[in-house]
């Protein structure tokens, strides 16, 4: 298989594995991350094949989707070996994926990891980010917001302050920063309106 055929194969595999996923990490999230990544690398000197492979595989084995256990490396390695990819490529893809996640707190060391991290984070903000935030909150039984106990607030609205509003300043690339600025403003308007509505009722 050439690189294009490999990427097509990976896409088909991920589509099957994630289509029914209901926590906001469904197939179309992953597809949007790939599309974001393609947009970002237009202006970056990055290995497009590695970026795209890692973008397709970045949520495979994620602890949030596997009962709290991170199986990324195990699953990615087994899958890419089944496609007869070189060990060197498999190691690089695993390294990129391990550096993408917000919760693991890792800093990307390669431009490829920076691109995939930005691409994933862009999908967590803006209108899509808002939708995903509440979809994920619903899947783990979170309240929309908690007007009574703000100190222990793990509501979906609190998640904007804990994570989503921080993302625009954490972007690595110029292209992602630009897109993030617009999406950030949109989220601020949304949260403002949310509080306006709940406080006037
Ligand atoms: Ni993701």
């Amino acid at each position: 298989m050439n690189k294009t055929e490999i990427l097509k194969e990976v896409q088909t595999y991920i589509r099957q594995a994630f289509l029914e996923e209901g926590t906001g990490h469904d197939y179309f999230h992953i597809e949007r991350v790939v599309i974001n990544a393609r947009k970002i690398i237009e202006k970056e000197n990055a290995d497009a094949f590695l970026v795209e492979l890692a973008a397709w595989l970045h949520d495979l084995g994620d602890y949030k989707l596997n009962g709290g256990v991170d199986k990324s490396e195990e699953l990615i390695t087994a899958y890419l070996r089944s496609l007869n990819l070189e060990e060197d490529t498999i190691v690089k893809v695993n390294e990129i994926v391990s550096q993408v996640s917000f919760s693991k707190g890792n800093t990307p060391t390669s431009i490829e990891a920076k691109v995939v991290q930005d691409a994933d984070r862009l999908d967590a903000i803006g209108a899509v980010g808002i939708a995903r935030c509440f979809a994920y909150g619903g899947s783990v039984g979170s309240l929309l917001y908690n007007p009574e106990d703000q100190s222990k607030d793990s509501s979906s609205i609190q998640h904007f302050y804990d994570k989503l509003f921080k993302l625009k300043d954490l972007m690595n690339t110029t292209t992602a920063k630009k897109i993030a600025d617009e999406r950030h403003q949109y989220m601020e308007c949304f949260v403002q309106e949310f509080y306006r509505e709940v406080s006037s009722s």
Side-chain angles (χ1 to χ4, degrees), residues 25 29 33 58-59 120 132:
H25 294 264
H29 155 64
V33 172
H58 82 275
D59 275 335
D120 192 34
R132 289 184 67 218

